[in-house]
Amino acid sequence: MITLQIFQKVSDYEWEIPPTFRSGMRVPVRIFATRRLLEKALQDASIEQAVNVATLPGLVGRVLVMPDMHQGYGFPIGGVAATRYPEGVISPGGIGYDINCGVRLLSSAIPYEAVEPYLDTLVAALDHHCPSGVGTHGAIRLSDKELDQACRLGSRWALKQGMASEQDLEFTEENGCIEGAAPEKVSARAKERGREQLGTLGAGNHFLEVEVVDQIFDAEAANAMGLFEGCLVLSIHCGSRGFGHQICSDYVQEFQGAVRRYGIQLPDRELVCAPLDSPEGQAYLGAMRAAANYAFLNRQILAHHARQAFEEVLSGKVKNWHLRQVYDIAHNIGKIETHEVDGKQVKVCVHRKGATRAFGPGSPAIPAAYRPIGQPVLVPGSMGTASWVLVGTETSMRISFGSSCHGAGRVMSRNEAKRQVRGEHLRKELEADGIHLRAGSLSGLAEEAPQAYKDVDAVVETVSGAGIARKVARLRPVAVVKG
């Protein structure tokens, strides 16, 4: 049983479980949390899951857990684990079902006061142009051959179709396309689910949110990103839809046999994995990259449609209604990267599940415009609460594999939220707070109620206090399209 007494306090924002805590642990577990957030984390199985993750073959450094942690499938959401490449393992559960669920932020020079009279029309137009809901289909219909091509090209596919700019691609993680995608390793069922879902928001915690830059903490970084106090921005939170979910389901099932074939002992069958250099590991890596590229493309198409909505509503009414891409980041992904571990440069597969890449200043992997300040880290709130823009730091490169938190993190299950919150009541509360709202369903709205999540400000205070991200700007929601 895990209690507060087993943790070694590293700082006010860091706690550690040594590998001697349990037989089979290969590395320590480092939790980024205040004491209050740590106490809350002990109410579910997230830290127990992190200890289980610490038994995986090939791990290097530490298993890390971010302050927005909560229980997930096998791995905690908010978890980061790096395995040596190529002989370490890769685990579908360590990346998650919504492969490359992520966030895109677009900025503008539109003052809130100028657009306030049109917000209700704007949110209706966003809802019209960006279909939402469970199983929703979009306007794009692809053959299998076209879908394979889209999965190889990612956001570059949208560029060819006139739905992206070179600047959009430059300001997207991996330029919107991870090399090595293998759509031939994707099942027919996954392709069937994904063929008609590009350009759709889906449901769950996915949303489009119009926000106002409420407070700026780092003027240099905010200026580099085109964030101006009092002006609008747009956040898009979405992933790889049924396509990525099916790929994860397929490989979780496939890897049940792989762990037996490779003699891997696991404390939890949800941790199924395979060596990265095995045929099974390589197949999943290729399929996962196909889903990641699908997600980059999906958010690009949603951004294109959102721009159409802004033009339709605001052209001729406000000056310079254009949206500029700030950045697009992945939350659930496995990336081959090189990091310093025990003084040596080591090539690893970093599993980030509900965690954001947060590379520090000077990294060649981020756009030249951001190298003086560090990579943007986008932390969405929960409809009625703030969102944050941070940047990665030199410390994140040293102690967290260049990673930070990804959101507020749930404290209540979706079923519990539906028991405690009435969707209609919540809708009225949000509207009374001046938030214009469109929601696919009232029960879906209740699932994602702000009270079902942690205090995002406390989460951001923790990663800032630990030094693995730096505050740039706080955003306040004024219009939400909820999937």
Side-chain angles (χ1 to χ4, degrees):
M1 183 176 177
I2 295 179
T3 62
L4 271 179
Q5 286 68 39
I6 66 129
F7 292 94
Q8 296 176 354
K9 183 176 179 179
V10 179
S11 74
D12 287 345
Y13 304 102
E14 296 166 83
W15 308 78
E16 190 153 296
I17 302 174
T20 51
F21 169 65
R22 182 179 294 170
S23 172
M25 284 178 70
R26 298 170 192 265
V27 296
V29 174
R30 174 74 62 92
I31 294 107
F32 295 96
T34 59
R35 184 184 175 93
R36 182 177 172 79
L37 286 170
L38 185 62
E39 287 171 348
K40 281 185 177 292
L42 291 172
Q43 294 173 8
D44 68 16
S46 52
I47 294 178
E48 180 83 29
Q49 288 183 327
V51 169
N52 291 340
V53 171
T55 67
L56 288 177
L59 284 168
V60 300
R62 296 177 173 84
V63 169
L64 306 162
V65 191
M66 298 297 154
D68 49 337
M69 73 190 95
H70 56 100
Q71 185 176 335
Y73 183 86
F75 279 60
I77 292 164
V80 178
T83 55
R84 196 176 293 274
Y85 185 87
E87 64 271 26
V89 298
I90 188 167
S91 173
I95 289 162
Y97 275 84
D98 191 356
I99 297 168
N100 192 4
C101 179
V103 182
R104 178 169 298 218
L105 182 69
L106 300 109
S107 66
S108 84
I110 307 170
Y112 171 68
E113 292 75 17
V115 81
E116 188 178 10
Y118 311 111
L119 272 179
D120 206 54
T121 311
L122 181 61
V123 74
L126 287 168
D127 189 37
H128 171 73
H129 283 279
C130 303
S132 61
V134 178
T136 310
H137 292 171
I140 296 172
R141 300 285 191 272
L142 300 179
S143 66
D144 274 355
K145 187 177 178 182
E146 291 168 329
L147 178 61
D148 287 357
Q149 184 73 346
C151 288
R152 289 192 179 93
L153 294 177
S155 294
R156 290 209 297 267
W157 188 88
L159 185 68
K160 287 175 177 285
Q161 306 299 319
M163 292 189 283
S165 68
E166 291 285 0
Q167 188 192 48
D168 291 342
L169 271 57
E170 181 185 356
F171 290 91
T172 301
E173 187 171 327
E174 299 288 344
N175 299 120
C177 178
I178 300 178
E179 297 298 325
E184 68 275 14
K185 301 298 183 184
V186 174
S187 70
R189 174 61 182 146
K191 291 180 180 179
E192 182 185 344
R193 294 183 66 180
R195 197 179 291 118
E196 298 181 353
Q197 291 190 337
L198 276 171
T200 65
L201 196 58
N205 60 351
H206 298 152
F207 59 76
L208 289 168
E209 195 165 282
V210 181
E211 298 147 340
V212 179
V213 179
D214 198 39
Q215 195 173 359
I216 286 178
F217 295 81
D218 184 324
E220 180 193 356
N223 191 52
M225 296 184 212
L227 300 174
F228 308 106
E229 195 163 326
C231 288
L232 292 191
V233 297
L234 177 74
S235 288
I236 300 171
H237 183 217
C238 192
S240 50
R241 306 282 285 110
F243 185 67
H245 192 282
Q246 187 63 46
I247 288 171
C248 185
S249 297
D250 292 339
Y251 280 93
V252 163
Q253 186 172 2
E254 166 73 18
F255 280 20
Q256 300 289 344
V259 291
R260 290 193 295 272
R261 285 193 289 278
Y262 295 104
I264 299 171
Q265 301 295 318
L266 297 172
D268 180 351
R269 62 183 297 176
E270 292 183 358
L271 290 174
V272 288
C273 55
L276 278 152
D277 56 2
S278 69
E280 296 90 339
Q282 286 295 300
Y284 171 67
L285 195 59
M288 184 270 295
R289 287 168 171 167
N293 289 344
Y294 181 102
F296 283 132
L297 174 57
N298 191 35
R299 289 195 291 277
Q300 180 60 53
I301 295 171
L302 285 167
H304 173 70
H305 289 158
R307 284 170 167 150
Q308 289 180 326
F310 267 64
E311 180 177 8
E312 183 179 292
V313 176
L314 301 181
S315 176
K317 298 187 180 73
V318 301
K319 292 179 182 175
N320 194 7
W321 43 265
H322 300 282
L323 295 171
R324 172 194 175 275
Q325 177 131 322
V326 175
Y327 207 53
D328 181 295
I329 54 168
H331 285 164
N332 295 350
I333 203 159
K335 302 280 286 289
I336 309 302
E337 299 170 357
T338 299
H339 289 275
E340 185 174 315
V341 181
D342 298 329
K344 295 179 182 176
Q345 296 293 309
V346 181
K347 197 170 186 179
V348 292
C349 176
V350 183
H351 297 63
R352 293 191 182 93
K353 179 178 181 179
T356 298
R357 196 184 73 173
F359 281 1
S363 170
I366 61 180
Y370 295 154
R371 283 177 203 157
I373 60 170
Q375 181 204 305
V377 174
L378 311 174
V379 183
S382 48
M383 296 191 293
T385 62
S387 295
W388 284 85
V389 181
L390 316 174
V391 284
T393 64
E394 292 171 355
T395 303
S396 66
M397 301 306 290
R398 282 194 291 107
I399 68 172
S400 65
F401 295 109
S403 309
S404 187
C405 63
H406 88 305
R410 297 193 77 93
V411 289
M412 199 183 289
S413 71
R414 289 189 165 88
N415 284 335
E416 183 61 25
K418 281 194 288 190
R419 276 192 290 273
Q420 292 196 20
V421 180
R422 292 192 62 185
E424 178 61 23
H425 187 227
L426 175 61
R427 184 178 67 80
K428 288 178 179 174
E429 279 185 349
L430 292 171
E431 288 175 348
D433 286 340
I435 299 172
H436 299 257
L437 184 68
R438 292 292 185 280
S441 72
L442 290 176
S443 63
L445 188 68
E447 286 180 4
E448 300 301 320
Q451 52 267 50
Y453 286 84
K454 296 175 187 175
D455 177 352
V456 69
D457 293 345
V459 168
V460 167
E461 198 61 45
T462 302
V463 294
S464 173
I468 58 173
R470 195 174 77 248
K471 295 178 184 176
V472 175
R474 189 174 188 270
L475 313 174
R476 172 173 59 86
V478 294
V480 178
V481 176
K482 183 71 195 66

